[in-house]
Amino acid sequence: MELTWWRFQLLLLASACVRSLERVEHNPENNVIYCSLRHIEPLGAQDVDCGRIYVCRLEVTPKLCCHVNDCKPCLWSNILLSIIPDPEEEEDSDIEGSEYEDENSVAITICYISEVRQQERCRRLDFTMTSAASNEPLNLILVEYEDVDFGRKMVITVRSSSQLSVVDIPTLKQGPRISIQRLESVVKILVANKDKGSSEPPSLCIKRGREGRCWALANNSIPLESITDCMCFQAWTEDSPRSEYCPFENNKTEFNANVLRDMSVSVAHIKTNNNQPAMSWNLTVPCRISAELWPCQLEADGQCREIKGFRQHRNDWEENSTILWASGKFENITSWDHQQLCVKLKVDGKIVLYCQHPLERQYWSLLVLLLLILVCLTIFGVLLLVNKLKYMKGQVLLLHSSATDQQLVCKLGLLLSELGYRVFLDLWNQTELGSLGPAAWLHSKLDHIQKHGGKALLLLSPSTLQRAECYWNIAVERQGNPATYCSDTLASALTCIFADRQRGGAAQRFILVQLDCHELLIKEELPVLLRGLPLYKLPSQSRGLLMELCLESPNNVCGKLKKMWWIKRARRKLAKGVQNIFISRVRTETMLTQSDSLSLDTGDTEERVFLENEQY
């Protein structure tokens, strides 16, 4: 039979599915006997409907077919056919007897698509079978050479059935070569690409054993104490297969200690849905191991006695990029003291004890309890002493421009809170601010602190002065009717200051605060809107600000001494806190300048210039 486009051999024999690219002897010039084979292009409807045939199975395996000294890749398509019986023919056969056997015409159409030639190519195979042979399944092997090459993917289908097979033919290219270099304290993973024509550097990943997922390895230097015997590495490029190397798998003696050291078990006492006592555990390991766990009761002599009937074995593991883990629980454990329940873990013949409370003897619990009572009494006494010396500070509303560094504002608010003031700050009340709006939120806080004798502190910054000047100009232009739209809390505060000035009472609620370490070199007078308000510079005028914020003016000597003592301590703490805030900020700015890798936005640049012009 002449083969034009396709060279293949139809073998009527039984075969098993070969799962690797093995070498087989096969002559592609062999002829096919007792059948008709023809190329189909295009594929017609009569070629799809091939009669009473049912394709039971299609298995395609790539192999290396050799004849004499010539070897080339080929596809072995194993097709299991079954002939669907015709009831009429079976009835005629029973009537006529078995004097002769009928012949059945059989046809199948198999199609191939390769990734280099997207057009589908099909061949139809016609042959005959006797009625006796048609009762048994027929196993056909079709050997294909056309378009089959190393590194290609092919799709094979049998028409008139849903059978489909996708085959990846192995490539002849070799993956990158992996080796290790062991230094004093680290192990370096070295990758050499054998494909000299590839410009892309090889990719590298790490596995925990030969099974499981391979995770990206960012650093090819691994500390020696982190090495385990299960570590495997894979390397590849875009156009090469993956190569795998497990350099430590035969050195379990040296690195087994690392595996045991990196194991951990966390234990927790819980209750089940039926309100029964249980003890949950979570085991993390660096390698897939066979572990056995069981609960035990810690005795007074330090020994942990096993509670029978709860042993569990674990061989299956969950995995992420950092660790392997497994979890479970021991239910319905009877114990006179659940706090003394622990877990024993057995790995490679070694047993390790894990407890929720790291106590080895019961009397330690009593010692800890006594120490806890002593600490609580001490704290209670200190609180009583502090309460006697504590002076009533009051409440503060901290206002600022949105362009001011939020971290700086928050640190100043925290510092005032540590001094005992109750501080209201929009940055700490975003939910309430969003629901009420800036104007309503500000008025509610102003009314609140005014009822309690508090003050509103306006933190000065370049943007604050600019907006105050702009607000005043608009007010003058509109003859006392400035814009009523308040975009943020600062705009609402300026509106309140303007209204208070009209009534002559702005100084009763608002105080200006200027930070020395964040110096705003005011060469001109303050904006008209802010003139007349008390102004305090921190940290140099910390005492004056604290005196302004004090609620009480005691008449007796004891009260006056108490106030003086508190003012003295609070002044030192406030001054030191402000200095520390800006020392930290100067260091941050210096690091940003030296790195030359980050850019500052407009607001941060303004604050930075303001800080660098400071005169300590």
Side-chain angles (χ1 to χ4, degrees), residues 164-176:
L164 179 145
S165 180
V166 180
V167 178
D168 288 310
I169 305 173
T171 179
L172 287 178
K173 295 183 179 180
Q174 296 183 353

Side-chain angles (χ1 to χ4, degrees), residues 520-561:
L520 176 64
L521 298 177
I522 305 176
K523 299 180 180 179
E524 301 179 357
E525 292 184 310
L526 286 172
V528 178
L529 182 61
L530 303 180
R531 293 175 191 173
L533 298 179
L535 172 61
Y536 295 97
K537 296 182 179 181
L538 299 180
S540 60
Q541 297 178 345
S542 300
R543 179 183 178 85
L545 177 61
L546 293 172
M547 292 292 292
E548 183 80 29
L549 296 177
C550 281
L551 293 179
E552 299 179 359
S553 297
N555 297 322
N556 54 34
V557 177
C558 182
K560 290 181 179 180
L561 290 175

Side-chain angles (χ1 to χ4, degrees), residues 151-285:
R152 289 184 179 177
K153 176 182 290 187
M154 299 190 71
V155 179
I156 300 94
T157 57
V158 177
R159 294 297 177 169
S160 74
S161 75
S162 59
Q163 300 291 334
L164 179 145
S165 180
V166 180
V167 178
D168 288 310
I169 305 173
T171 179
L172 287 178
K173 295 183 179 180
Q174 296 183 353
R177 185 172 61 87
I178 308 174
S179 61
I180 62 171
Q181 181 183 10
R182 185 165 177 174
L183 303 179
E184 182 178 357
S185 59
V186 298
V187 173
K188 284 193 173 183
I189 313 301
L190 307 178
V191 181
N193 190 5
K194 294 184 177 181
D195 187 3
K196 303 300 182 181
S198 176
S199 59
E200 179 189 4
S203 300
L204 185 65
C205 65
I206 185 172
K207 298 174 63 178
R208 300 180 184 91
R210 295 194 178 270
E211 58 182 289
R213 181 176 174 181
C214 199
W215 303 89
L217 186 63
N219 190 351
N220 66 340
S221 295
I222 303 176
L224 197 59
E225 61 270 15
S226 300
I227 296 295
T228 60
D229 56 271
C230 67
M231 281 187 175
C232 293
F233 306 94
Q234 286 187 352
W236 72 97
T237 60
E238 186 176 354
D239 54 352
S240 75
R242 293 195 176 205
S243 57
E244 186 171 282
Y245 182 42
C246 302
F248 313 110
E249 61 182 350
N250 295 324
N251 197 359
K252 292 187 176 182
T253 303
E254 180 180 2
F255 300 111
N256 187 55
N258 293 346
V259 176
L260 296 177
R261 187 194 66 240
D262 293 339
M263 289 191 313
S264 66
V265 177
S266 59
V267 181
H269 300 284
I270 61 174
K271 287 191 175 181
T272 64
N273 294 333
N274 298 328
N275 203 31
Q276 296 296 323
M279 183 168 60
S280 66
W281 56 266
N282 186 74
L283 170 62
T284 59
V285 292

Side-chain angles (χ1 to χ4, degrees), residues 18-23 60-65 73-76 148 167-170:
V18 182
R19 299 189 181 275
S20 61
L21 190 60
E22 63 174 310
R23 174 174 174 151
V60 182
T61 307
K63 293 189 178 184
L64 188 64
C65 295
C74 60
L75 291 182
W76 284 52
V148 180
V167 178
D168 288 310
I169 305 173

Side-chain angles (χ1 to χ4, degrees), residues 466-513:
Q466 183 180 4
R467 291 181 62 178
E469 184 69 29
C470 181
Y471 188 94
W472 181 260
N473 293 335
I474 294 175
V476 172
E477 180 181 349
R478 299 188 179 183
Q479 298 180 354
N481 295 312
T484 58
Y485 173 70
C486 298
S487 59
D488 57 9
T489 54
L490 179 59
S492 301
L494 294 177
T495 302
C496 292
I497 294 174
F498 180 82
D500 287 352
R501 284 183 62 89
Q502 299 295 95
R503 297 190 296 266
Q508 297 178 1
R509 293 199 296 176
F510 293 91
I511 298 175
L512 303 180
V513 175

